Amino acid sequence: MKLKKQKRHHRAVRFYTTCFGFRQPFKILCDGTFVQHLITNRIAPADKAVSSILSGPVKLFTTRCVLAELKRLGNSYSESLLAARQLMTARCDHEKIKSAEACIVDIIGESNPEHFFVATQDFDMRKKFWEVPGVPLIYGLRNALLLEPPSSFQHEFVKNSEKERSHVTEREYKLLKQRTKSILQNEEPEHSSDENEDSRDQTSEMQPVKMNHRANKGMEIKDRIQFKRKRAKGPNPLSCKKKKKDDNPKSSSVEENNAGKDGVRIRSRGKRKRSRKGTEIAHSQGD
């Protein structure tokens, strides 16, 4: 159950952050009934308990009208009065002191411009804020704190606002109409001058039709994708080089001498190999 509750709270916080622009640290506006519930159930510290629900840092606020109401209730609410005085005070513009409910309703207004989370145990007050867009509600149940899921009215409000954003407004439509008229008026004299030039030139009928280059330059749009033509390349320069002549004529003459008339190879003068028989005869004579 605890995991399901956390998922539900994460989903609700994501809804308010994406659709209504709530940002961290979240501002919590507490009334006297919520402060009294925290004290009776010993939920302390209050800021950590609320931040665990919203998964982010929080700032707790109250109003001077709420403090005045707790003071009027007497000694039974003295502890909750001391706890409420430790919270930050939100500014309320009315001069005379009102009831806590009227003060909070006045601060929230019709669209909750300050992006407050309202923390209260008053069911009637929570029911009023169901029909106000962008007002998340926090309440306590025994020793646990809960964040109410967004109401059906708030879901419908978000859908309608998205539809309105997708449609063009009257002002935007008028501006667009004026813009198109001015563009058409600028293009008309250019087309007329092109038609006069075409009538004068007889050869223009044989040539392909060209687009208006001035308009294309202004819009920075090309008529076609221009591909580079592959041109015929010359032969490989290495294959065109002349063959080198032999610089050593001696080598050729030696080869000619080696080949005899009868095709018998003549040995070139050099070191002679001694035959084995001659060495044996020389050794025998020596002995």
Side-chain angles (χ1 to χ4, degrees):
M1 286 294 290
K2 194 174 181 180
L3 206 144
K4 286 183 180 179
K5 195 194 296 180
Q6 285 178 354
K7 284 183 178 179
R8 191 169 65 247
H9 291 163
H10 284 306
R11 204 179 298 120
V13 171
R14 201 183 304 120
F15 173 81
Y16 289 112
T17 52
T18 54
C19 298
F20 296 100
F22 282 75
R23 294 289 178 267
Q24 295 181 4
F26 300 117
K27 295 190 286 185
I28 317 298
L29 187 60
C30 307
D31 70 342
T33 58
F34 185 76
V35 175
Q36 180 68 19
H37 179 80
L38 293 174
I39 289 164
T40 52
N41 290 281
R42 302 298 175 189
I43 301 170
D47 53 352
K48 286 186 179 179
V50 177
S51 64
S52 65
I53 296 168
L54 305 179
S55 301
V58 298
K59 289 181 179 180
L60 300 178
F61 288 85
T62 189
T63 63
R64 59 191 182 91
C65 297
V66 172
L67 294 171
E69 189 177 65
L70 287 170
K71 194 175 182 181
R72 284 198 301 270
L73 291 171
N75 294 327
S76 58
Y77 289 89
S78 60
E79 193 176 353
S80 58
L81 178 61
L82 290 170
R85 280 176 178 170
Q86 293 176 3
L87 306 179
M88 289 182 279
T89 54
R91 183 182 174 184
C92 47
D93 294 330
H94 46 266
E95 295 178 358
K96 293 181 180 180
I97 292 170
K98 295 183 179 180
S99 64
E101 184 179 349
C103 179
I104 291 170
V105 169
D106 192 11
I107 289 169
I108 297 299
E110 295 180 355
S111 59
N112 193 10
E114 295 293 327
H115 297 99
F116 277 116
F117 284 74
V118 177
T120 181
Q121 294 296 111
D122 191 353
F123 182 75
D124 294 332
M125 191 191 296
R126 280 166 29 209
K127 200 172 180 180
K128 283 181 182 178
F129 289 130
W130 287 348
E131 297 180 357
V132 179
V135 183
L137 300 169
I138 297 170
Y139 65 97
L141 188 65
R142 295 189 185 89
N143 59 351
L145 299 178
L146 301 172
L147 176 65
E148 274 195 15
S151 62
S152 58
F153 175 82
Q154 292 179 352
H155 281 291
E156 288 178 4
F157 179 82
V158 170
K159 286 180 182 178
N160 293 329
S161 62
E162 285 178 358
K163 285 180 182 178
E164 287 177 2
R165 260 183 249 145
S166 62
H167 292 299
V168 180
T169 59
E170 291 181 1
R171 188 187 173 190
E172 289 173 348
Y173 179 73
K174 286 178 182 179
L175 289 170
L176 197 133
K177 208 171 181 181
Q178 290 174 2
R179 182 76 175 167
T180 50
K181 279 182 181 180
S182 62
I183 290 165
L184 290 169
Q185 286 173 2
N186 291 328
E187 285 181 355
E188 279 177 0
E190 290 180 359
H191 285 298
S192 62
S193 62
D194 290 336
E195 287 174 1
N196 292 327
E197 287 176 1
D198 290 336
S199 62
R200 288 174 187 175
D201 298 331
Q202 293 179 358
T203 58
S204 61
E205 293 179 357
M206 300 297 292
Q207 294 176 355
V209 179
K210 293 182 179 180
M211 296 292 289
N212 189 2
H213 293 291
R214 291 179 186 174
N216 289 336
K217 284 179 183 178
M219 299 292 287
E220 296 182 358
I221 297 169
K222 292 184 179 179
D223 296 335
R224 294 178 184 175
I225 299 167
Q226 296 178 358
F227 296 99
K228 290 184 179 179
R229 293 183 179 179
K230 291 183 179 180
R231 296 180 180 178
K233 295 179 180 179
N236 191 356
L238 297 173
S239 65
C240 298
K241 281 187 175 181
K242 293 181 180 180
K243 292 182 179 180
K244 292 182 180 180
K245 293 181 179 181
D246 293 332
D247 295 332
N248 298 325
K250 292 181 180 180
S251 62
S252 60
S253 63
V254 169
E255 288 177 359
E256 289 177 359
N257 292 328
N258 287 339
K261 292 179 180 179
D262 298 332
V264 180
R265 186 179 178 185
I266 299 167
R267 289 181 181 178
S268 61
R269 288 182 181 183
K271 291 182 180 180
R272 293 180 180 179
K273 291 182 179 180
R274 292 183 181 181
S275 62
R276 192 174 181 184
K277 290 179 181 181
T279 55
E280 289 176 357
I281 293 164
H283 284 298
S284 61
Q285 288 177 1
D287 294 334

